[in-house]
């Protein structure tokens, strides 16, 4: 293992990622479930994207939003998990200075993009259930295009200062990151500069973006629940509750895991360092694996599209 770098930012060429510093023997046991979850996430999201792309009947706004969510999940998985598995299997702990901060930017921006996409999808369901007659005129291809531009631009713009602020710090004594991932907190704490503004910006920007999305999501599903309870047809009400309920539970899981990560990081002295590291990895695996199943495969039209795709592959 390379020795820690005793240099400034201008001379640091790489960091060393130490997964589970207190229980490094864990990584051999965890590599199998992580690999399976990674393959599941990549396989289900790729299948969903291909199905929507090839089936003309799925070229509608709702499925374009599903495609956007799958693309975000794929990028997040590919940004984090291959490096984690390379550390587990081949002990490839080193990561270049630029690659570390690129990973930090993609994680921060794409996680908030995913939250924002959930918010747009909740609005889509709100219009579909509460204003069904106006749905075709409100949720159009143009609406999806504008929403996608907003999702990318807003979150990339607000997330960009996080890696820039970290990269501008001086790293004088250590280059060993006690994490599997280049998170802002894990990296910036190695600096010999004051990191108060760095941490404050990420906290304020992150919770402003995620908090506003979650509030709007809760409002959307509150209106949906109110409208569904007025439906007299029991079958239609049960279907709407089942669909929107599973969506809302998944969104809450996504938000709750982020909240747990913040709490465990703030209480780092009381909680073993390995716990937030494990939660961070799982947060990049479980939602991407579940999203296409909950949002896509449970949808009748998506199921039919996948069946068509399978029949074509058998020929």
């Amino acid at each position: 293992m390379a020795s820690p770098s005793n240099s400034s930012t201008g001379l640091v060429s790489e960091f060393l990622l130490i997964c589970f510093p207190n229980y490094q023997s864990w990584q051999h046991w965890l590599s199998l479930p992580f690999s399976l979850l990674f393959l599941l996430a990549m396989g289900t999201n790729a299948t969903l994207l291909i199905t929507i792309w090839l089936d003309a009947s799925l070229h509608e706004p709702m499925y374009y939003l599903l495609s956007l969510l799958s693309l975000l999940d794929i990028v997040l998985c590919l940004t984090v998990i291959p490096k984690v598995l390379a550390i587990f299997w081949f002990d490839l702990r080193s990561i270049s200075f630029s690659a570390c901060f690129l990973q930090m930017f993609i994680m921060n921006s794409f996680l908030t993009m995913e939250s924002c996409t959930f918010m747009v999808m909740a609005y889509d369901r709100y219009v579909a259930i509460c204003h069904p007659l106006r749905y075709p005129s409100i949720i159009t291809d143009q609406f999806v295009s504008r929403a996608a531009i907003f999702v990318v631009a807003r979150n990339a713009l607000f997330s960009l200062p996080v890696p820039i602020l970290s990269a501008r710090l001086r790293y004088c004594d250590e280059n060993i990151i006690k994490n599997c991932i280049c998170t802002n907190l894990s990296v910036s704490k190695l600096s010999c500069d004051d990191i108060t503004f760095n941490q404050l910006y990420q906290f304020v920007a992150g919770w402003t973006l995620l908090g506003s999305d979650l509030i709007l999501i809760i409002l959307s599903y509150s209106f949906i629940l109110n409208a569904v309870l007025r439906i007299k047809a029991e079958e239609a009400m049960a279907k709407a509750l089942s669909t929107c309920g599973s969506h809302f539970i998944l969104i809450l899981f996504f938000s709750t895991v982020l909240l747990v990560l913040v709490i465990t990081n703030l209480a780092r002295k009381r909680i073993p360092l390995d716990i937030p590291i494990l939660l961070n990895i799982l947060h990049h695996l479980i939602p991407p694996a579940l999203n296409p199943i909950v949002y896509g495969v449970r949808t009748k039209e998506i199921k039919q599209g996948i069946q068509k795709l399978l029949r074509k592959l058998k020929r």
Side-chain angles (χ1 to χ4, degrees):
M1 182 183 294
S3 61
S5 171
N6 298 314
S7 56
S8 66
T9 302
L11 298 177
V12 170
S13 60
E14 66 178 21
F15 291 109
L16 297 176
L17 295 164
I18 307 298
C19 286
F20 306 112
N22 299 323
Y23 303 95
Q24 291 193 46
S25 58
W26 285 15
Q27 61 190 47
H28 302 295
W29 297 100
L30 290 172
S31 62
L32 180 58
F34 284 176
S35 301
L36 293 175
L37 280 171
F38 175 66
L39 291 175
L40 176 64
M42 296 301 294
T44 51
N45 281 290
T47 301
L48 189 63
L49 281 173
I50 293 169
T51 301
I52 293 172
W53 178 45
L54 293 178
D55 194 334
S57 65
L58 299 178
H59 293 177
E60 296 180 5
M62 182 178 73
Y63 303 112
Y64 293 147
L65 291 173
L66 280 175
S67 298
L68 176 60
L69 185 64
S70 287
L71 281 172
L72 295 174
D73 282 336
I74 287 173
V75 173
L76 272 172
C77 272
L78 290 176
T79 301
V80 172
I81 305 306
K83 181 59 181 177
V84 172
L85 295 178
I87 295 171
F88 286 0
W89 292 339
F90 310 112
D91 203 33
L92 298 177
R93 302 173 187 271
S94 64
I95 184 169
S96 69
F97 190 80
S98 56
C100 185
F101 291 107
L102 176 62
Q103 185 189 71
M104 187 187 297
F105 168 68
I106 293 174
M107 284 191 302
N108 280 279
S109 59
F110 276 66
L111 280 172
T112 51
M113 285 180 199
E114 188 161 339
S115 171
C116 194
T117 304
F118 281 137
M119 182 264 290
V120 176
M121 293 173 73
Y123 176 72
D124 169 83
R125 292 299 84 202
Y126 160 73
V127 177
I129 293 174
C130 298
H131 303 283
L133 297 179
R134 296 176 58 196
Y135 181 84
S137 61
I138 296 175
I139 309 299
T140 61
D141 290 353
Q142 189 178 32
F143 168 83
V144 173
S145 299
R146 289 175 177 174
I149 292 170
F150 172 75
V151 166
V152 173
R154 185 198 76 161
N155 297 292
L157 182 64
F158 280 93
S159 299
L160 186 59
V162 174
I164 291 177
L165 289 169
S166 288
R168 289 172 62 87
L169 296 171
R170 292 180 302 120
Y171 296 91
C172 309
D173 302 317
E174 258 189 287
N175 69 343
I176 295 179
I177 301 172
K178 294 181 179 180
N179 205 329
C180 301
I181 306 169
C182 286
T183 63
N184 181 41
L185 182 62
S186 298
V187 176
S188 60
K189 68 184 291 187
L190 301 179
S191 170
C192 48
D193 290 337
D194 182 13
I195 62 171
T196 304
F197 181 73
N198 182 308
Q199 292 176 314
L200 182 63
Y201 178 83
Q202 179 168 23
F203 181 82
V204 172
W207 283 103
T208 298
L209 297 174
L210 296 172
S212 61
D213 290 342
L214 185 58
I215 289 170
L216 291 172
I217 288 168
I218 291 173
L219 281 174
S220 295
Y221 280 103
S222 298
F223 289 128
I224 289 171
L225 180 61
N226 185 47
V228 166
L229 293 177
R230 294 178 182 176
I231 298 175
K232 295 181 180 179
E234 291 185 7
E235 186 177 344
M237 182 173 70
K239 183 179 178 181
L241 283 174
S242 174
T243 301
C244 294
S246 59
H247 293 185
F248 189 61
I249 290 169
L250 190 58
I251 292 166
L252 279 181
F253 174 80
F254 175 87
S255 303
T256 303
V257 171
L258 283 177
L259 180 61
V260 170
L261 279 172
V262 171
I263 293 172
T264 52
N265 276 306
L266 290 174
R268 195 176 285 269
K269 292 181 180 179
R270 298 182 181 180
I271 297 173
L273 180 63
D274 305 273
I275 300 300
I277 292 174
L278 178 62
L279 289 174
N280 216 331
I281 297 171
L282 290 175
H283 190 250
H284 288 83
L285 278 171
I286 294 178
L290 293 179
N291 286 341
I293 297 172
V294 172
Y295 280 94
V297 178
R298 294 180 77 244
T299 305
K300 180 181 177 182
E301 291 77 12
I302 295 287
K303 281 183 184 178
Q304 293 174 344
I306 293 174
Q307 289 170 356
K308 290 178 187 177
L309 179 62
L310 292 174
R311 284 196 291 268
K312 287 181 181 179
L313 292 174
K314 287 179 181 180
R315 292 174 185 172

